[in-house]
Amino acid sequence: SQKECHGVVYIESSAYGIPSFAMDTGGVSGAVIENVNGHLFNEDDIVNKITKRVELYINNPVLYRQFSASCIQYYTQVSNWDKWVEKLL
């Protein structure tokens, strides 16, 4: 996405342990925290940078599982709907 107010889809992917690879634009950086539940990229050479990250996780399944667990932890402790309601009240 090149424009995003707040990336709900990125938070939902964290709930399932799926790291997000996203363009650093708009509200995305509020939903994707670098090395916690995903990676943020600038427009320059984005394809090569994402490719290198994907290769890293393919070649290091233990690292991927740790990152996946980090995504779930982020969701459960910081960014689920119950936490958002707590912030509002």
Side-chain angles (χ1 to χ4, degrees), residues 11-65:
I11 293 169
E12 290 172 341
S13 72
S14 291
Y16 291 94
I18 301 169
S20 296
F21 289 39
M23 188 177 296
D24 190 5
T25 184
V28 175
S29 61
V32 178
I33 309 303
E34 184 67 30
N35 293 315
V36 173
N37 69 328
H39 297 290
L40 295 169
F41 301 93
N42 295 318
E43 287 186 54
D44 60 306
D45 204 23
I46 189 169
V47 174
N48 288 328
K49 290 177 181 177
I50 289 176
T51 301
K52 287 179 182 179
R53 288 290 181 161
V54 170
E55 287 174 346
L56 173 70
Y57 294 121
I58 288 172
N59 293 324
N60 296 282
V62 172
L63 182 63
Y64 179 80
R65 284 192 294 276

